[in-house]
Every structure is written in C-alpha cells, then in structure tokens.
Amino acid sequence: MEKLIIEGAKPLKGEVTISGSKNAALPIMAATLLTDEPCILQNIPCLRDTWTMIELLKSLGKTVVIDGNKIIITSEGKLNHIADYKLVSTMRGSFCVLGPLLAKLKKAQVSLPGGCVIGIRPVDLHLKGLKSLGAKIEVENGYVVAKARHFKGAHIYLGGVFGSSVLATANVLMAATLAKGETIIEAAACEPEVEDLANMLTAMGAKIKGIGSPRLTITGVKKLRGLTYKIIPDRIEAGTYILMAAATKSSITLKGACYSHLMALVDKLDQVGIKVYPEGSLIKMKCKKVLKPVSITTYPYPGFPTDLQAQFMALMAIVEGVSVITDKVYPDRFIHIAELNRMGANISREGFNAIVQGVKVLHGAPVMASDLRASAALVIAGLAAKGQTEIHRLYHLDRGYENLDKKLTALGAKVYRERE
Ligand code: UD1
C-alpha cells in the first residue's frame, strides 16, 4: 500500500489538463456490450475503476486493447452473462453491465454491489426500471438473476427518495435501446455523464429524444453498431483542482474542462470571492484576498454535486465564519469530518447538516482516506495546511484521479508517494 505525503502551504500555479470523465467512461464502456462490432473509446482516464471495468468486460467475453487513453473493444465468440462478485463488489459502477447484458443476451447474473461508507446505496430503481421493460428478476445468493425473453417499451418513472439515479437511468436507457417499441423514462437523471452515454448510444444507432432532460424517449432498434467515441472531460476532477487552488489562495488554469458542467460550483465560488471564468477553451480563476463562508446543499444535476461536497467542505474549513453543508443525495456522506478535524478544522454534525466553523489555519497530520471524494478533501486540506500531511490508503484516490501526484507536482505542489 502507498501513502501520499504533502508539504502544505505552497501556492499552486500554472496549467492542469483535465482527464476524461470516470463516471461517463464506466457506463459507456458497459454499453459496448450492446454490439458485436468493434468500439473505439477515446479519452478514457487511466484509473483503478476503468481498469476494473476493463477486467469485467474481459470476463464477460470482450477483448480489450489499451493504447494510452484509447481502448479498442472487440468481440470474439459468445458473451458470458455472469458478472462476478469480485469485480462488482469493488466498484459500484460495474452494476451498469446489467441492462446491456440483459438486452443483448436475454439473461444476466450480476453480483449486487453492496453499500459503502457513503451510504446504503440500494439498487431498487435499477430493478424497477428493468422489470417495467419485462425482465423477471430474482435476488439469489447475493446476485441479481434476471431474464427477459423480450424487452418491450414501457412508460417508467425512475424518481426515488433522493431524486433521480444516475446509474439506474443508465441501465434502463441502455436496455431500452434494444426493446420493442417506445420507452419513456420520466425523472431520468440529467447529469452530463448520462447525456454523454445517450450521445454515445445515438452514435451506435439508438433512437433517443430528450437527451439531457428528465424525460427520455427511446424507440427501440434491432441492432446497434460499433463506433469511435470521445468521452467528455471529468467535471469532478476539474472542480477538485479549482478547489485545491482556492484553498491555497492560488489561481490556476484548467485545460480540456467543460465550463458549463461546472456552473453550480462556479456560482457558489463567486459568493465565496473566487471568480471562475472561461477564456477561449481554457478555464481561469481569480481569488480575492479575503474569502467569505458560503453554505451549500447538494442535489442531482444541475444542483451542486455530491461528489464535490467533501472538497468544498475542506475549503470552507479555512474560510473564517460559519457555513452549513447538507447532502441531499447521500445524507450520511460526512465521514471526512473526523479526519478534517484531526487537522485542526472545527466541523460538527447536527442532524443532516455539517456546521463548519472556519479556522485561520489547518495543521498537517497523518490522516486516513475513507472513500474517493473524502480523500480528495484531505488532499485539499493537506495542500492548505501548515506542515506535513500523510494520507494513508491512497488507493481510494487512484480510483478517480488520473496522475494526481504528477499533475500536482507540475502545479508546484510538494507531494510524493511512499510505500507504507
Ligand atoms: C453515481 C456516481 C457517483 C455519484 C452519484 C450521485 C457513477 C459511477 N457514480 O452513482 O459518483 O456520487 O451518481 O451523483 O456514476 N438510489 C436509490 N435507489 C437506487 C439507486 C439510487 O434509492 O436504485 C439513491 C442512492 O442511494 C442515492 C441517490 O439515489 O441516495 C442517488 O444515487 P445514484 O444517482 O444512483 O448514484 P450512482 O448512480 O450509484
């Protein structure tokens, strides 16, 4: 195992190139199961999670050739319909092979992904949507065992207690592309990653209307074809770098990111005193000397993303005054509070809210990464803190941030990896 050492309180400067979106790449890679023809995917981030998906596709019978950030996925022979516990349990994104396997093979056996530190994370909406299309689904020995003699279009409401679901929308959308007749998904997730998947499916020959909206209308087709497709940039990685720069009172330039995907963060940062603005194809930022505390509540897109909540909290931890942070997508996603407090932050939990009493300065400390975005929050705190921070269980960060230490070093940070 490796740990990340950060010598804090050093300003960042320069330009960082944003990688392809992890959360767009995973369902798009799964969607290649819908065709026997070759698919070339570009801008795939080189991450632990995309490696896991590659291993899963191989275990299902696909051949995958990796060429830098490009992967070529081909089929030789029949696909296997069983997605094994070992691969699905390590990454929830794996569950989105269920819809395509079922649509293509008429049967699928996919391990239940289970919960994780950010919440229970049920899959009821995935199963409800696929059942509406005609699938017969049982849960046996920790696996979802599904059969669908033929998928038939249906009118489906996919809203849940916490709003729409990104991967449930992806699963049902993929399955509906090969269903007979018309499917309407109401309360579909509108995240750019779902939009990217719908655009990719359209390029494969699917018929989808309402892309990017909460109402998707899909007219089933008999067959989908292969394609070459470039994944959108990662808005969460982009937001994380902006927050890293903000926490060190620096101004950096982002290359390859999409400004319009970042509006909820841009708007909140404007209130904090940080201007983030597009300049040609770049994104630039300017920080005021004195920052103001601002409260946030996370919501599904276009609301403030839950995947930036922990990182925003790390910034608020060093902005003097009080801010309140509420997560409406994962109400218990606050495991990072304890670790931030070990660095001198003053954050308490009151019911569904985190109350952040900003302090002047954080101090480096040994801390433990607990999940992907909580780890990113610890990196932000470590960059801002006085002294040395050691982040243990680095593998969480490697799930979602391509070349994090190299990118940070190029921005002037003092970070390095060490074996535990
Ligand atoms: C995706 C993202 C994850 C992000 C999340 C919310 C990927 C690989 N992961 O996860 O990074 O944090 O969206 O933006 O894209 N829910 C149910 N029933 C279900 C499914 C979800 O109640 O069947 C609930 C969840 O517990 C949660 C909320 O709905 O409270 C949203 O979850 P969802 O959008 O499904 O998250 P994922 O798609 O798993």
Side-chain angles (χ1 to χ4, degrees), residues 308-327:
L308 285 175
Q309 180 259 103
Q311 300 91 312
F312 194 85
M313 187 186 289
L315 172 65
M316 286 302 102
I318 46 163
V319 174
E320 285 183 85
V322 177
S323 55
V324 180
I325 295 184
T326 312
D327 199 316

mmCIF file with all atom_site columns, all heavy atoms in Angstrom, residues 308-327:
data_model
loop_
_atom_site.group_PDB
_atom_site.id
_atom_site.type_symbol
_atom_site.label_atom_id
_atom_site.label_alt_id
_atom_site.label_comp_id
_atom_site.label_asym_id
_atom_site.label_entity_id
_atom_site.label_seq_id
_atom_site.pdbx_PDB_ins_code
_atom_site.Cartn_x
_atom_site.Cartn_y
_atom_site.Cartn_z
_atom_site.occupancy
_atom_site.B_iso_or_equiv
_atom_site.pdbx_formal_charge
_atom_site.auth_seq_id
_atom_site.auth_comp_id
_atom_site.auth_asym_id
_atom_site.auth_atom_id
_atom_site.pdbx_PDB_model_num
ATOM 1   N N   . LEU A 1 308 ? -18.609 16.774 -5.054 1.00 0.00 ? 308 LEU A N   1
ATOM 2   C CA  . LEU A 1 308 ? -17.700 17.881 -4.698 1.00 0.00 ? 308 LEU A CA  1
ATOM 3   C C   . LEU A 1 308 ? -17.967 18.393 -3.280 1.00 0.00 ? 308 LEU A C   1
ATOM 4   O O   . LEU A 1 308 ? -17.365 19.368 -2.848 1.00 0.00 ? 308 LEU A O   1
ATOM 5   C CB  . LEU A 1 308 ? -17.834 19.038 -5.699 1.00 0.00 ? 308 LEU A CB  1
ATOM 6   C CG  . LEU A 1 308 ? -17.178 18.819 -7.071 1.00 0.00 ? 308 LEU A CG  1
ATOM 7   C CD1 . LEU A 1 308 ? -17.485 19.983 -8.016 1.00 0.00 ? 308 LEU A CD1 1
ATOM 8   C CD2 . LEU A 1 308 ? -15.654 18.663 -6.947 1.00 0.00 ? 308 LEU A CD2 1
ATOM 9   N N   . GLN A 1 309 ? -18.885 17.724 -2.583 1.00 0.00 ? 309 GLN A N   1
ATOM 10  C CA  . GLN A 1 309 ? -19.267 18.206 -1.240 1.00 0.00 ? 309 GLN A CA  1
ATOM 11  C C   . GLN A 1 309 ? -18.093 18.177 -0.259 1.00 0.00 ? 309 GLN A C   1
ATOM 12  O O   . GLN A 1 309 ? -17.808 19.164 0.440  1.00 0.00 ? 309 GLN A O   1
ATOM 13  C CB  . GLN A 1 309 ? -20.446 17.348 -0.745 1.00 0.00 ? 309 GLN A CB  1
ATOM 14  C CG  . GLN A 1 309 ? -20.993 17.687 0.613  1.00 0.00 ? 309 GLN A CG  1
ATOM 15  C CD  . GLN A 1 309 ? -20.481 16.711 1.655  1.00 0.00 ? 309 GLN A CD  1
ATOM 16  O OE1 . GLN A 1 309 ? -19.588 17.014 2.443  1.00 0.00 ? 309 GLN A OE1 1
ATOM 17  N NE2 . GLN A 1 309 ? -21.054 15.526 1.688  1.00 0.00 ? 309 GLN A NE2 1
ATOM 18  N N   . ALA A 1 310 ? -17.382 17.059 -0.217 1.00 0.00 ? 310 ALA A N   1
ATOM 19  C CA  . ALA A 1 310 ? -16.278 16.921 0.746  1.00 0.00 ? 310 ALA A CA  1
ATOM 20  C C   . ALA A 1 310 ? -15.174 17.940 0.438  1.00 0.00 ? 310 ALA A C   1
ATOM 21  O O   . ALA A 1 310 ? -14.606 18.558 1.352  1.00 0.00 ? 310 ALA A O   1
ATOM 22  C CB  . ALA A 1 310 ? -15.720 15.501 0.680  1.00 0.00 ? 310 ALA A CB  1
ATOM 23  N N   . GLN A 1 311 ? -14.892 18.124 -0.853 1.00 0.00 ? 311 GLN A N   1
ATOM 24  C CA  . GLN A 1 311 ? -13.826 19.058 -1.247 1.00 0.00 ? 311 GLN A CA  1
ATOM 25  C C   . GLN A 1 311 ? -14.219 20.501 -0.913 1.00 0.00 ? 311 GLN A C   1
ATOM 26  O O   . GLN A 1 311 ? -13.381 21.294 -0.484 1.00 0.00 ? 311 GLN A O   1
ATOM 27  C CB  . GLN A 1 311 ? -13.548 18.949 -2.762 1.00 0.00 ? 311 GLN A CB  1
ATOM 28  C CG  . GLN A 1 311 ? -13.106 17.570 -3.244 1.00 0.00 ? 311 GLN A CG  1
ATOM 29  C CD  . GLN A 1 311 ? -14.252 16.701 -3.681 1.00 0.00 ? 311 GLN A CD  1
ATOM 30  O OE1 . GLN A 1 311 ? -15.254 16.577 -2.994 1.00 0.00 ? 311 GLN A OE1 1
ATOM 31  N NE2 . GLN A 1 311 ? -14.132 16.091 -4.835 1.00 0.00 ? 311 GLN A NE2 1
ATOM 32  N N   . PHE A 1 312 ? -15.507 20.837 -1.087 1.00 0.00 ? 312 PHE A N   1
ATOM 33  C CA  . PHE A 1 312 ? -15.970 22.190 -0.753 1.00 0.00 ? 312 PHE A CA  1
ATOM 34  C C   . PHE A 1 312 ? -15.881 22.391 0.763  1.00 0.00 ? 312 PHE A C   1
ATOM 35  O O   . PHE A 1 312 ? -15.523 23.480 1.242  1.00 0.00 ? 312 PHE A O   1
ATOM 36  C CB  . PHE A 1 312 ? -17.407 22.396 -1.246 1.00 0.00 ? 312 PHE A CB  1
ATOM 37  C CG  . PHE A 1 312 ? -17.840 23.832 -1.249 1.00 0.00 ? 312 PHE A CG  1
ATOM 38  C CD1 . PHE A 1 312 ? -17.550 24.663 -2.317 1.00 0.00 ? 312 PHE A CD1 1
ATOM 39  C CD2 . PHE A 1 312 ? -18.528 24.377 -0.165 1.00 0.00 ? 312 PHE A CD2 1
ATOM 40  C CE1 . PHE A 1 312 ? -17.936 26.005 -2.320 1.00 0.00 ? 312 PHE A CE1 1
ATOM 41  C CE2 . PHE A 1 312 ? -18.909 25.714 -0.152 1.00 0.00 ? 312 PHE A CE2 1
ATOM 42  C CZ  . PHE A 1 312 ? -18.619 26.524 -1.238 1.00 0.00 ? 312 PHE A CZ  1
ATOM 43  N N   . MET A 1 313 ? -16.185 21.335 1.499  1.00 0.00 ? 313 MET A N   1
ATOM 44  C CA  . MET A 1 313 ? -16.095 21.437 2.968  1.00 0.00 ? 313 MET A CA  1
ATOM 45  C C   . MET A 1 313 ? -14.651 21.727 3.395  1.00 0.00 ? 313 MET A C   1
ATOM 46  O O   . MET A 1 313 ? -14.411 22.527 4.320  1.00 0.00 ? 313 MET A O   1
ATOM 47  C CB  . MET A 1 313 ? -16.583 20.141 3.623  1.00 0.00 ? 313 MET A CB  1
ATOM 48  C CG  . MET A 1 313 ? -16.675 20.256 5.131  1.00 0.00 ? 313 MET A CG  1
ATOM 49  S SD  . MET A 1 313 ? -17.073 18.698 5.934  1.00 0.00 ? 313 MET A SD  1
ATOM 50  C CE  . MET A 1 313 ? -18.763 18.453 5.483  1.00 0.00 ? 313 MET A CE  1
ATOM 51  N N   . ALA A 1 314 ? -13.691 21.101 2.710  1.00 0.00 ? 314 ALA A N   1
ATOM 52  C CA  . ALA A 1 314 ? -12.277 21.339 3.046  1.00 0.00 ? 314 ALA A CA  1
ATOM 53  C C   . ALA A 1 314 ? -11.936 22.816 2.831  1.00 0.00 ? 314 ALA A C   1
ATOM 54  O O   . ALA A 1 314 ? -11.204 23.411 3.619  1.00 0.00 ? 314 ALA A O   1
ATOM 55  C CB  . ALA A 1 314 ? -11.380 20.441 2.203  1.00 0.00 ? 314 ALA A CB  1
ATOM 56  N N   . LEU A 1 315 ? -12.492 23.425 1.779  1.00 0.00 ? 315 LEU A N   1
ATOM 57  C CA  . LEU A 1 315 ? -12.237 24.857 1.560  1.00 0.00 ? 315 LEU A CA  1
ATOM 58  C C   . LEU A 1 315 ? -12.900 25.688 2.662  1.00 0.00 ? 315 LEU A C   1
ATOM 59  O O   . LEU A 1 315 ? -12.283 26.581 3.248  1.00 0.00 ? 315 LEU A O   1
ATOM 60  C CB  . LEU A 1 315 ? -12.759 25.284 0.170  1.00 0.00 ? 315 LEU A CB  1
ATOM 61  C CG  . LEU A 1 315 ? -12.725 26.787 -0.102 1.00 0.00 ? 315 LEU A CG  1
ATOM 62  C CD1 . LEU A 1 315 ? -11.286 27.315 -0.127 1.00 0.00 ? 315 LEU A CD1 1
ATOM 63  C CD2 . LEU A 1 315 ? -13.411 27.139 -1.428 1.00 0.00 ? 315 LEU A CD2 1
ATOM 64  N N   . MET A 1 316 ? -14.170 25.360 2.964  1.00 0.00 ? 316 MET A N   1
ATOM 65  C CA  . MET A 1 316 ? -14.886 26.144 3.988  1.00 0.00 ? 316 MET A CA  1
ATOM 66  C C   . MET A 1 316 ? -14.210 26.019 5.363  1.00 0.00 ? 316 MET A C   1
ATOM 67  O O   . MET A 1 316 ? -14.323 26.922 6.192  1.00 0.00 ? 316 MET A O   1
ATOM 68  C CB  . MET A 1 316 ? -16.348 25.678 4.083  1.00 0.00 ? 316 MET A CB  1
ATOM 69  C CG  . MET A 1 316 ? -17.212 26.114 2.930  1.00 0.00 ? 316 MET A CG  1
ATOM 70  S SD  . MET A 1 316 ? -17.265 27.916 2.725  1.00 0.00 ? 316 MET A SD  1
ATOM 71  C CE  . MET A 1 316 ? -16.159 28.169 1.366  1.00 0.00 ? 316 MET A CE  1
ATOM 72  N N   . ALA A 1 317 ? -13.495 24.902 5.578  1.00 0.00 ? 317 ALA A N   1
ATOM 73  C CA  . ALA A 1 317 ? -12.821 24.697 6.870  1.00 0.00 ? 317 ALA A CA  1
ATOM 74  C C   . ALA A 1 317 ? -11.799 25.797 7.154  1.00 0.00 ? 317 ALA A C   1
ATOM 75  O O   . ALA A 1 317 ? -11.484 26.061 8.312  1.00 0.00 ? 317 ALA A O   1
ATOM 76  C CB  . ALA A 1 317 ? -12.139 23.329 6.893  1.00 0.00 ? 317 ALA A CB  1
ATOM 77  N N   . ILE A 1 318 ? -11.286 26.454 6.088  1.00 0.00 ? 318 ILE A N   1
ATOM 78  C CA  . ILE A 1 318 ? -10.279 27.503 6.307  1.00 0.00 ? 318 ILE A CA  1
ATOM 79  C C   . ILE A 1 318 ? -10.771 28.883 5.866  1.00 0.00 ? 318 ILE A C   1
ATOM 80  O O   . ILE A 1 318 ? -9.984  29.793 5.644  1.00 0.00 ? 318 ILE A O   1
ATOM 81  C CB  . ILE A 1 318 ? -8.947  27.169 5.596  1.00 0.00 ? 318 ILE A CB  1
ATOM 82  C CG1 . ILE A 1 318 ? -9.219  26.702 4.168  1.00 0.00 ? 318 ILE A CG1 1
ATOM 83  C CG2 . ILE A 1 318 ? -8.146  26.151 6.383  1.00 0.00 ? 318 ILE A CG2 1
ATOM 84  C CD1 . ILE A 1 318 ? -8.017  26.739 3.292  1.00 0.00 ? 318 ILE A CD1 1
ATOM 85  N N   . VAL A 1 319 ? -12.097 29.017 5.720  1.00 0.00 ? 319 VAL A N   1
ATOM 86  C CA  . VAL A 1 319 ? -12.659 30.348 5.447  1.00 0.00 ? 319 VAL A CA  1
ATOM 87  C C   . VAL A 1 319 ? -13.352 30.793 6.733  1.00 0.00 ? 319 VAL A C   1
ATOM 88  O O   . VAL A 1 319 ? -14.321 30.153 7.174  1.00 0.00 ? 319 VAL A O   1
ATOM 89  C CB  . VAL A 1 319 ? -13.664 30.291 4.262  1.00 0.00 ? 319 VAL A CB  1
ATOM 90  C CG1 . VAL A 1 319 ? -14.356 31.635 4.094  1.00 0.00 ? 319 VAL A CG1 1
ATOM 91  C CG2 . VAL A 1 319 ? -12.948 29.900 2.977  1.00 0.00 ? 319 VAL A CG2 1
ATOM 92  N N   . GLU A 1 320 ? -12.857 31.844 7.352  1.00 0.00 ? 320 GLU A N   1
ATOM 93  C CA  . GLU A 1 320 ? -13.375 32.232 8.668  1.00 0.00 ? 320 GLU A CA  1
ATOM 94  C C   . GLU A 1 320 ? -14.858 32.600 8.616  1.00 0.00 ? 320 GLU A C   1
ATOM 95  O O   . GLU A 1 320 ? -15.301 33.270 7.676  1.00 0.00 ? 320 GLU A O   1
ATOM 96  C CB  . GLU A 1 320 ? -12.536 33.368 9.234  1.00 0.00 ? 320 GLU A CB  1
ATOM 97  C CG  . GLU A 1 320 ? -11.196 32.824 9.736  1.00 0.00 ? 320 GLU A CG  1
ATOM 98  C CD  . GLU A 1 320 ? -10.351 33.893 10.381 1.00 0.00 ? 320 GLU A CD  1
ATOM 99  O OE1 . GLU A 1 320 ? -10.552 34.149 11.584 1.00 0.00 ? 320 GLU A OE1 1
ATOM 100 O OE2 . GLU A 1 320 ? -9.515  34.469 9.662  1.00 0.00 ? 320 GLU A OE2 1
ATOM 101 N N   . GLY A 1 321 ? -15.592 32.140 9.617  1.00 0.00 ? 321 GLY A N   1
ATOM 102 C CA  . GLY A 1 321 ? -17.049 32.323 9.660  1.00 0.00 ? 321 GLY A CA  1
ATOM 103 C C   . GLY A 1 321 ? -17.712 30.955 9.620  1.00 0.00 ? 321 GLY A C   1
ATOM 104 O O   . GLY A 1 321 ? -17.031 29.923 9.630  1.00 0.00 ? 321 GLY A O   1
ATOM 105 N N   . VAL A 1 322 ? -19.059 30.971 9.558  1.00 0.00 ? 322 VAL A N   1
ATOM 106 C CA  . VAL A 1 322 ? -19.796 29.696 9.641  1.00 0.00 ? 322 VAL A CA  1
ATOM 107 C C   . VAL A 1 322 ? -20.456 29.356 8.305  1.00 0.00 ? 322 VAL A C   1
ATOM 108 O O   . VAL A 1 322 ? -21.078 30.211 7.672  1.00 0.00 ? 322 VAL A O   1
ATOM 109 C CB  . VAL A 1 322 ? -20.889 29.789 10.741 1.00 0.00 ? 322 VAL A CB  1
ATOM 110 C CG1 . VAL A 1 322 ? -21.713 28.501 10.800 1.00 0.00 ? 322 VAL A CG1 1
ATOM 111 C CG2 . VAL A 1 322 ? -20.248 30.059 12.091 1.00 0.00 ? 322 VAL A CG2 1
ATOM 112 N N   . SER A 1 323 ? -20.325 28.111 7.881  1.00 0.00 ? 323 SER A N   1
ATOM 113 C CA  . SER A 1 323 ? -21.094 27.644 6.720  1.00 0.00 ? 323 SER A CA  1
ATOM 114 C C   . SER A 1 323 ? -21.765 26.321 7.078  1.00 0.00 ? 323 SER A C   1
ATOM 115 O O   . SER A 1 323 ? -21.273 25.575 7.933  1.00 0.00 ? 323 SER A O   1
ATOM 116 C CB  . SER A 1 323 ? -20.197 27.488 5.495  1.00 0.00 ? 323 SER A CB  1
ATOM 117 O OG  . SER A 1 323 ? -19.124 26.645 5.785  1.00 0.00 ? 323 SER A OG  1
ATOM 118 N N   . VAL A 1 324 ? -22.881 26.059 6.419  1.00 0.00 ? 324 VAL A N   1
ATOM 119 C CA  . VAL A 1 324 ? -23.644 24.836 6.688  1.00 0.00 ? 324 VAL A CA  1
ATOM 120 C C   . VAL A 1 324 ? -23.644 23.998 5.414  1.00 0.00 ? 324 VAL A C   1
ATOM 121 O O   . VAL A 1 324 ? -23.942 24.504 4.335  1.00 0.00 ? 324 VAL A O   1
ATOM 122 C CB  . VAL A 1 324 ? -25.102 25.185 7.087  1.00 0.00 ? 324 VAL A CB  1
ATOM 123 C CG1 . VAL A 1 324 ? -25.908 23.915 7.359  1.00 0.00 ? 324 VAL A CG1 1
ATOM 124 C CG2 . VAL A 1 324 ? -25.110 26.099 8.304  1.00 0.00 ? 324 VAL A CG2 1
ATOM 125 N N   . ILE A 1 325 ? -23.332 22.724 5.567  1.00 0.00 ? 325 ILE A N   1
ATOM 126 C CA  . ILE A 1 325 ? -23.264 21.838 4.395  1.00 0.00 ? 325 ILE A CA  1
ATOM 127 C C   . ILE A 1 325 ? -24.248 20.684 4.578  1.00 0.00 ? 325 ILE A C   1
ATOM 128 O O   . ILE A 1 325 ? -24.248 20.002 5.609  1.00 0.00 ? 325 ILE A O   1
ATOM 129 C CB  . ILE A 1 325 ? -21.814 21.338 4.195  1.00 0.00 ? 325 ILE A CB  1
ATOM 130 C CG1 . ILE A 1 325 ? -20.942 22.554 3.864  1.00 0.00 ? 325 ILE A CG1 1
ATOM 131 C CG2 . ILE A 1 325 ? -21.741 20.274 3.099  1.00 0.00 ? 325 ILE A CG2 1
ATOM 132 C CD1 . ILE A 1 325 ? -19.526 22.292 3.533  1.00 0.00 ? 325 ILE A CD1 1
ATOM 133 N N   . THR A 1 326 ? -25.097 20.509 3.567  1.00 0.00 ? 326 THR A N   1
ATOM 134 C CA  . THR A 1 326 ? -26.135 19.476 3.627  1.00 0.00 ? 326 THR A CA  1
ATOM 135 C C   . THR A 1 326 ? -26.045 18.647 2.355  1.00 0.00 ? 326 THR A C   1
ATOM 136 O O   . THR A 1 326 ? -25.892 19.209 1.269  1.00 0.00 ? 326 THR A O   1
ATOM 137 C CB  . THR A 1 326 ? -27.533 20.129 3.703  1.00 0.00 ? 326 THR A CB  1
ATOM 138 O OG1 . THR A 1 326 ? -27.481 21.150 4.705  1.00 0.00 ? 326 THR A OG1 1
ATOM 139 C CG2 . THR A 1 326 ? -28.621 19.136 4.059  1.00 0.00 ? 326 THR A CG2 1
ATOM 140 N N   . ASP A 1 327 ? -26.139 17.329 2.492  1.00 0.00 ? 327 ASP A N   1
ATOM 141 C CA  . ASP A 1 327 ? -26.079 16.471 1.310  1.00 0.00 ? 327 ASP A CA  1
ATOM 142 C C   . ASP A 1 327 ? -27.432 15.800 1.115  1.00 0.00 ? 327 ASP A C   1
ATOM 143 O O   . ASP A 1 327 ? -27.828 14.941 1.893  1.00 0.00 ? 327 ASP A O   1
ATOM 144 C CB  . ASP A 1 327 ? -24.961 15.425 1.464  1.00 0.00 ? 327 ASP A CB  1
ATOM 145 C CG  . ASP A 1 327 ? -24.545 14.839 0.123  1.00 0.00 ? 327 ASP A CG  1
ATOM 146 O OD1 . ASP A 1 327 ? -25.444 14.520 -0.679 1.00 0.00 ? 327 ASP A OD1 1
ATOM 147 O OD2 . ASP A 1 327 ? -23.330 14.727 -0.132 1.00 0.00 ? 327 ASP A OD2 1
#
